[in-house]
């Protein structure tokens, strides 16, 4: 069976490669975003919609979780936010007629780009057992089908309930209530594939699995480290904050295997300086690190700081360490033992440069480390992030203005969903409060995370898969295994805004429940309802859509969960006691429940009135560490880094500039000089030479993973080799095309996150080089 997006007839001979640009954003970005918006929404709707992004009383941008500046200019413009909005607010529609014209097999033969371009889903659809086509259904019939299947389970653990990070706080809270009411904690989410390593490391060391800084802290930092993150594409609004810090004298260091354009120079489209002059140089220093070398980098910094401390003193913040932390001696002993030769080998950075970088920490009174997927998606990610924390603790850089940890979240409400209880192992205090509020007994057995869910489905232990947003099939690792796993279930249910692969790789039966997005007006109980979200810096605010929904018969996520819950719990004695009919009509009633269950949400309704926002409590920020000991913890971590076998490369799978995770906006990656194709693999010219390849060759990528009887191979076909500035031995290619290569078994220690940034591959030549002209950049 073919898996993943189809690969027949792929022709990347049209791919154009040019030298990557040396700056990001600026006027071309604005032009590009407007073109995409107008093609999806038309001129009028584009103007109306883009004006309201992230404005007070407007809607929260579905693009990313970076917080808004307090004083927002009209149209704080971000190219990729505008693209995310345009995708959702598109005027294209996927109607029952569309499903009548396209069989599921036909749809399965299209790629993610084509599927996403068809537009917004408008009607509940059912795929009956053995049917070739989805058929339209009423809400009543579709929800009844799902409820009956859930009520018929032998055990509640035979169902799995996934969540992606766009779901509002209100919907997420009701969803986890429904799931726990059914009797399981099987609540995998996109975070398991994303920042789970951050949560694991920070909870253990600082007592809170979230960042400790605010936007003001970013502005006030003296030293900003941006490691394993490509903000020019994935968090463009972050660059405005970094620009402000730079204007106040901050030093910025980018740590990345790739010289990403957005880290070099930022042309702020809001300012004359950005538009007319050359923009702001972002990184004062670019550390081109080997994939997976970051733990070594931070150990090197800690080692140098402690060496200088031993020689001349005055480096570490002794008062802070004594008063607030534990484990310092163990940490010191551990870094004392690591050899500089190993640190240099792991990072690919000379010792003198490592020491010079450490001196920047010594010279800075306020340091912030920002990171994203480059640090979280490795086998040793949790240890890496613990070593980041170690260095900040040495200098007392936690819980003081202008300093701290800044894991930069992905989806716009991924952090809020977790706060609301979307987690397979919520702490007892939360479960107890939930049970008390709704008069039932929530299950205490930990549930499945994403990888455990796939394993359970693969092994035939799951009958129902439900997705609250997202695109599980394409986002999850090991595409062939994941697809086969989902096909073993009896029912797959997707609550979605847009068509994607998860609608065409199904259980024996499938249901599509179309839902409202952030930009849509949500009228319930005669009033336009608001929802709330939490950004990457723990700030909660309301979001209200304004656009007319794609069809009049659509339901919000809150309404879908409420109605489904009412059907599932009908006549069930031990079910949560909730007035589902009321909750569906009045989201303030949902918020009232949240304020009783979730810490930090007291006076919830009042605090989000009139576009206001409030910050959730964060002990680490106040140096009131909520670890069991009440202290922040240094940790001693054995040094790990990837060893690459001879003749192999270490592949990272990452995002292009024209995609939002599995949603593909277009086939260009402007900031890396790529146009017209996505099946490219970036390889160092040294490795290209050494393997007898040439730039422009067409190759297969083959990943290798040890199996019981010899290595197991996974293949991604037909990629064009692009000579690129990446460390020798490292390569890069886009996700989700390469997810087929990521073994399900390959996960991060502790957090269980798939190791999407370190896949061992070999490259096999397919045929003669495609003639790919180099265009002028
Ligand atoms: N436009 C747009 N915005 C998005 C998204 C999107 O797809 N499109 N996705 C959203 C989501 S869910 C997320 S999680 C974020 C993702 O935001 P990012 O984490 O920026 O996304 P990636 O493309 O995975 O980029 C990883 C970066 O880390 C670097 N890197 C890879 N491995 C290593 C390593 O071992 N060490 C170091 N130091 N660097 C490394 C890569 O070269 C790349 O620059 O963005 C969010 N925002
Ligand atoms: N190889 C590899 N794999 C990865 C990654 C990687 O870097 N490399 N990154 C991982 C990361 S960081 C993440 S976060 C995951 C992303 O995994 P997911 O969150 O599952 O994937 P998305 O592509 O963001 O989901 C897009 C779909 O969400 C639906 N949607 C959009 N908005 C809404 C909404 O408001 N409500 C509802 N109900 N549905 C909506 C649409 O139907 C759309 O098709 O992928 C992970 N997978
Ligand atoms: Mo993510």
């Amino acid at each position: 069976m073919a898996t993943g997006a189809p690969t027949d007839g792929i022709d990347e001979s049209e791919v154009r490669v040019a030298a990557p640009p040396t700056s990001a954003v600026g006027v071309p970005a604005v032009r590009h975003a407007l073109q995409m918006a107008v093609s999806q929404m038309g001129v009028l709707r584009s103007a109306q919609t883009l004006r309201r992004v992230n404005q007070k009383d407007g809607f929260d941008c579905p693009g990313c979780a970076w917080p808004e500046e307090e004083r927002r200019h009209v149209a704080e413009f971000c190219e990729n936010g505008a693209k995310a909005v345009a995708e959702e607010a598109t005027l294209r529609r996927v109607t029952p007629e569309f499903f009548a014209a396209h069989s599921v097999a036909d749809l399965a033969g299209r790629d993610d780009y084509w599927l996403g371009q068809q537009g917004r889903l408008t009607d509940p659809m059912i795929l009956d057992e053995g049917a070739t086509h989805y058929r339209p259904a009423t809400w009543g019939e579709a929800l009844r089908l799902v409820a009956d299947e859930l009520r018929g389970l032998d055990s509640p653990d035979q169902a799995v309930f996934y969540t992606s990070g766009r779901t509002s706080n209100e919907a997420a809270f009701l969803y986890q209530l429904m799931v726990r009411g059914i009797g399981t904690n099987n609540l995998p989410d996109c975070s398991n594939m994303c920042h789970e390593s951050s949560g694991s490391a920070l909870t253990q060391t600082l007592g809170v699995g979230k960042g400790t800084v605010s936007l003001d802290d970013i502005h006030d930092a003296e030293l900003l480290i941006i490691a394993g993150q490509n903000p020019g594409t994935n968090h463009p609004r972050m660059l405005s904050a970094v620009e402000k810090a730079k204007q106040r004298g901050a030093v910025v260091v980018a740590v990345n295997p790739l010289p990403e354009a957005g880290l070099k120079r930022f042309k702020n489209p809001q300012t004359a300086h950005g538009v007319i002059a050359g923009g702001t140089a972002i990184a004062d220093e670019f550390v081109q690190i080997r994939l997976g070398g970051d733990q070594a980098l931070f150990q090197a910094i800690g080692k140098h700081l402690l060496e200088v401390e031993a020689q001349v003193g005055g480096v570490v913040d002794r008062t802070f360490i004594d008063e607030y932390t534990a484990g310092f001696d163990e940490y010191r002993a551990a870094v004392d033992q690591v050899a500089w030769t190993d640190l240099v080998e792991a990072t690919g950075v000379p010792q003198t440069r490592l020491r010079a970088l450490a001196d920047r920490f010594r010279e800075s009174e306020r340091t912030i480390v920002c990171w994203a997927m480059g640090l979280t998606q490795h086998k040793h990610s949790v240890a890496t992030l613990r070593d980041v924390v170690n260095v900040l603790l040495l200098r007392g850089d936690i819980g003081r203005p202008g300093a701290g940890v800044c894991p930069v979240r992905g989806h716009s409400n991924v952090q809020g969903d977790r706060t609301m209880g979307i987690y397979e192992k919520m702490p007892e205090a939360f479960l107890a409060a939930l049970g008390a509020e709704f008069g039932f007994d929530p299950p205490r057995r930990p549930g499945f995370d994403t990888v455990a869910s796939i394993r359970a489905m693969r092994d035939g232990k799951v009958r129902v898969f439900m997705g609250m947003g997202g695109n599980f099939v394409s986002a999850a690792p090991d595409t062939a295994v994941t697809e086969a796993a989902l096909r073993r279930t009896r029912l797959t249910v997707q609550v979605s805004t847009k068509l994607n692969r998860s609608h065409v790789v199904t259980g024996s039966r499938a249901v599509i429940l179309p839902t409202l997005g952030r930009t849509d007006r949500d009228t319930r109980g005669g009033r336009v309802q608001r929802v709330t979200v939490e950004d990457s810096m723990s700030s909660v605010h309301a979001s209200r859509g304004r656009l007319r929904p794609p069809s009049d018969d659509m339901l919000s996520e809150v309404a879908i969960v409420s109605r489904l819950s009412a059907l599932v719990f009908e006549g069930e004695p031990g079910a949560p006691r909730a007035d589902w009919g009321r909750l569906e009509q009045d989201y303030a009633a949902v918020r009232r429940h949240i304020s009783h269950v979730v810490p930090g949400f007291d006076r919830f309704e009042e605090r989000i009135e009139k576009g206001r926002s409030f910050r959730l409590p964060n002990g680490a920020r106040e140096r009131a560490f909520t670890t069991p000991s009440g202290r922040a913890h240094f940790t001693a971590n054995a040094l790990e880094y990837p060893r690459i076998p001879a003749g192999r490369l270490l592949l990272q799978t990452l995002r292009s500039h024209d995609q939002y995770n599995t949603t593909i906006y277009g086939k260009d990656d402007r900031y890396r000089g790529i146009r017209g194709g996505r099946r490219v693999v970036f390889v160092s010219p040294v490795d290209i030479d050494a393997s007898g390849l040439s730039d422009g060759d067409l190759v297969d990528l083959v990943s290798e993973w040890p199996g019981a009887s010899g290595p197991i191979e996974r293949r991604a076909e037909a990629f064009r080799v692009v000579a690129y500035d990446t460390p020798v031995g490292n390569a890069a290619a886009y996700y989700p095309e390469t997810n087929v290569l990521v073994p399900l078994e390959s996960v991060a220690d502790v957090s269980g996150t798939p190791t999407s940034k370190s896949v061992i591959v070999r490259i096999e030549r397919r045929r003669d080089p495609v003639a790919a002209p180099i265009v002028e950049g």
Side-chain angles (χ1 to χ4, degrees):
M1 194 187 331
T3 54
T7 50
D8 308 340
I10 286 174
D11 176 10
E12 296 296 67
S13 60
E14 293 301 310
V15 177
R16 298 282 183 282
V17 181
T22 51
S23 71
V25 196
V27 173
V30 176
R31 193 189 315 127
H32 185 66
L34 283 177
Q35 278 164 0
M36 281 209 182
V38 170
S39 80
Q40 297 275 357
M41 305 190 271
V43 177
L44 210 70
R45 193 169 160 103
S46 298
Q48 278 172 351
T49 312
L50 296 180
R51 210 160 33 112
R52 296 223 178 256
V53 189
N54 287 343
Q55 296 299 304
K56 286 202 194 308
D57 211 30
F59 59 87
D60 179 69
C61 180
C64 75
W66 188 259
E68 284 121 42
E69 298 281 346
E70 259 315 309
R71 278 178 298 284
R72 287 161 255 176
H73 340 234
V74 178
E76 196 193 21
F77 207 91
C78 151
E79 174 191 356
N80 277 350
K83 280 150 62 175
V85 167
E87 277 284 317
E88 183 176 295
T90 180
L91 291 168
R92 301 176 193 162
R93 300 288 177 260
V94 174
T95 58
E97 293 71 43
F98 172 92
F99 284 108
H102 296 278
S103 68
V104 174
D106 167 7
L107 296 175
R110 314 285 182 151
D111 66 15
D112 288 281
Y113 177 54
W114 189 92
L115 293 173
Q117 288 298 309
Q118 302 314 303
R120 288 286 297 273
L121 296 157
T122 57
D123 288 71
M125 304 294 302
I126 292 177
L127 182 67
D128 292 312
E129 189 154 7
T132 55
H133 291 68
Y134 274 96
R135 66 171 169 88
T138 61
W139 280 103
E141 184 191 9
L143 291 172
R144 171 65 67 188
L145 186 158
V146 180
D148 285 348
E149 192 71 47
L150 289 171
R151 289 170 71 107
L153 298 174
D154 302 329
S155 142
D157 292 331
Q158 288 176 325
V160 159
F161 300 87
Y162 177 69
T163 311
S164 170
R166 281 203 191 165
T167 295
S168 66
N169 287 336
E170 290 76 1
F173 182 79
L174 293 182
Y175 186 57
Q176 62 83 33
L177 172 64
M178 176 185 87
V179 172
R180 296 196 160 102
I182 290 170
T184 180
N185 282 305
N186 288 346
L187 283 158
D189 69 346
C190 66
S191 189
N192 298 148
M193 301 181 264
C194 186
H195 266 292
E196 200 65 63
S197 304
S198 310
S200 302
L202 296 176
T203 305
Q204 187 197 357
T205 54
L206 302 179
V208 49
K210 302 179 180 183
T212 64
V213 303
S214 68
L215 263 189
D216 286 340
D217 292 324
I218 300 270
H219 300 154
D220 289 343
E222 273 184 33
L223 175 63
L224 277 168
I225 309 289
I226 304 178
Q229 197 201 341
N230 180 22
T233 286
N234 298 313
H235 305 90
R237 285 181 299 115
M238 174 176 173
L239 294 181
S240 311
V242 176
E243 184 183 41
K244 198 157 177 183
K246 291 226 54 165
Q247 285 158 357
R248 296 185 182 179
V251 169
V252 177
V253 179
V255 181
N256 203 304
L258 306 180
E260 305 283 25
L263 295 168
K264 287 190 202 155
R265 190 166 278 280
F266 167 57
K267 293 188 179 174
N268 191 335
Q270 328 279 2
T271 65
H273 178 65
V275 174
I276 299 157
T280 307
I282 291 292
D284 297 272
E285 184 180 349
F286 167 52
V287 180
Q288 188 161 34
I289 196 166
R290 290 188 175 138
L291 281 172
D294 305 84
Q295 187 192 10
L297 184 91
F298 283 92
Q299 287 197 354
I301 294 168
K303 188 176 174 69
H304 176 80
L305 292 176
L306 287 166
E307 282 177 12
V308 180
E309 171 73 15
Q311 287 154 12
V312 296
V315 176
V316 306
D317 185 340
R318 209 57 243 198
T319 323
F320 171 77
I321 292 173
D322 291 344
E323 201 171 328
Y324 294 106
T325 74
F328 172 68
D329 292 337
E330 292 81 352
Y331 170 65
R332 184 170 49 191
V335 288
D336 193 47
Q337 296 209 333
V338 271
W340 279 104
T341 46
D342 288 335
L343 299 175
V344 169
E345 167 65 21
T347 53
V349 180
Q351 190 185 140
T352 45
R353 270 201 73 191
L354 292 171
R355 288 186 184 272
L357 177 60
D359 281 330
R360 290 192 186 275
F361 277 74
R362 191 157 66 94
E363 287 149 16
S364 159
E365 285 306 313
R366 297 182 299 276
T367 300
I368 293 177
V369 181
C370 304
W371 71 86
M373 296 305 98
L375 262 57
T376 64
Q377 296 177 333
H378 291 283
K379 176 170 186 297
H380 58 306
S381 281
V382 176
T384 299
L385 294 166
R386 287 197 293 238
D387 272 318
V388 170
V389 171
N390 283 331
V391 168
L392 292 170
L393 290 177
L394 276 183
R395 299 276 304 147
D397 273 328
I398 298 288
R400 72 166 174 218
V405 286
C406 182
V408 183
R409 303 278 161 176
H411 273 296
S412 53
N413 197 38
V414 62
Q415 189 161 312
D417 291 345
R418 185 57 64 87
T419 307
M420 291 298 121
I422 303 294
Y423 191 25
E424 73 279 1
K425 43 181 191 219
M426 273 316 263
E428 173 56 30
F430 178 94
L431 297 174
L434 188 72
E437 176 74 4
F438 296 99
F440 79 116
D441 190 21
R444 295 331 204 250
R445 295 177 311 290
F448 299 143
D449 66 2
T450 292
V451 166
S453 295
I454 299 168
R455 289 183 182 146
M457 288 190 278
R458 176 196 63 193
D459 299 341
K461 294 181 185 150
V462 174
R463 281 208 235 156
V464 180
F465 174 94
M466 179 165 178
M468 180 54 65
N471 179 4
F472 191 84
V473 169
S474 293
D478 221 342
T479 314
V481 174
T482 296
E483 290 192 356
L486 280 155
R487 289 189 199 281
R488 285 203 72 179
T489 63
R490 281 171 45 162
L491 175 67
T492 45
V493 184
Q494 304 289 346
V495 180
S496 315
T497 52
K498 305 212 43 187
L499 190 65
N500 63 46
R501 286 199 75 70
S502 299
H503 304 118
V504 298
V505 177
T506 67
S508 320
R509 296 195 292 169
V511 173
I512 298 176
L513 303 173
T515 195
L516 301 178
R518 271 310 147 65
T519 53
D520 299 313
R521 189 167 53 229
D522 184 357
T523 318
R524 297 262 104 209
R527 276 210 312 278
V528 180
Q529 300 286 338
R530 299 180 295 181
V531 294
T532 58
V533 294
E534 174 185 341
D535 67 29
S536 199
M537 294 177 178
S538 306
S539 191
V540 178
H541 61 268
S543 171
R544 177 151 65 160
R546 300 286 181 145
L547 297 178
R548 187 176 175 175
S551 90
D552 293 334
D553 189 29
M554 286 181 69
L555 293 182
S556 67
E557 294 175 339
V558 170
I560 291 171
V561 176
S562 302
R563 289 197 192 178
L564 182 59
S565 300
L567 293 173
V568 170
F569 298 134
E570 208 167 45
E572 290 287 333
R577 285 200 291 274
D579 184 349
W580 296 107
R582 166 87 195 281
L583 296 176
E584 177 194 330
Q585 301 289 329
D586 178 12
Y587 301 0
V590 183
R591 286 190 281 276
R592 213 141 41 236
H593 284 302
I594 292 173
S595 71
H596 300 158
V597 174
V598 189
F601 283 86
D602 43 297
R603 297 186 295 109
F604 191 2
E605 197 65 26
E606 189 187 321
R607 288 197 285 166
I608 53 154
E609 280 300 334
K610 303 198 178 74
R612 281 199 296 270
S613 62
F614 65 95
R615 288 199 77 194
L616 293 172
N618 183 311
R621 216 179 135 69
E622 270 76 54
R623 296 189 167 175
F625 296 102
T626 44
T627 56
S629 66
R631 287 172 169 260
H633 284 264
F634 283 96
T635 50
N637 306 293
L639 175 65
E640 281 184 68
Y641 58 97
R643 316 289 157 126
I644 310 169
R648 305 295 184 268
L649 296 176
L650 192 66
L651 177 80
Q652 62 151 321
T653 62
L654 79 181
R655 292 153 173 82
S656 83
H657 191 63
D658 270 1
Q659 74 183 83
Y660 193 92
N661 298 336
T662 70
T663 300
I664 313 301
Y665 302 141
K667 299 208 169 176
D668 298 343
D669 190 3
R670 202 167 75 240
Y671 292 164
R672 299 196 185 100
I674 302 296
R675 281 183 218 267
R678 290 181 47 86
R679 299 186 82 87
V680 293
V681 56
F682 300 100
V683 185
S684 147
V686 176
D687 288 317
I688 292 182
D689 276 356
S691 44
L693 294 165
S694 323
D695 178 276
D697 274 356
L698 202 63
V699 298
D700 287 351
L701 306 177
V702 185
S703 84
E704 300 173 343
W705 186 258
S709 45
I712 298 172
E713 298 198 341
R714 295 167 166 87
R715 184 175 295 263
E717 293 184 319
F719 283 71
R720 182 203 188 280
V721 173
V722 174
Y724 205 80
D725 184 4
T726 179
V728 176
N730 292 174
Y734 302 130
Y735 129 79
E737 286 82 350
T738 45
N739 284 39
V740 64
L741 299 172
V742 185
L744 188 65
E745 294 74 25
S746 181
V747 297
D749 298 332
V750 186
S751 67
T753 297
T755 57
S756 307
K757 295 292 188 273
S758 42
V759 188
I760 303 245
V761 297
R762 62 170 199 273
I763 293 194
E764 281 184 8
R765 177 120 161 247
R766 277 171 76 92
R767 58 172 161 80
D768 290 340
V770 284
I774 304 292
V775 292
E776 294 303 313

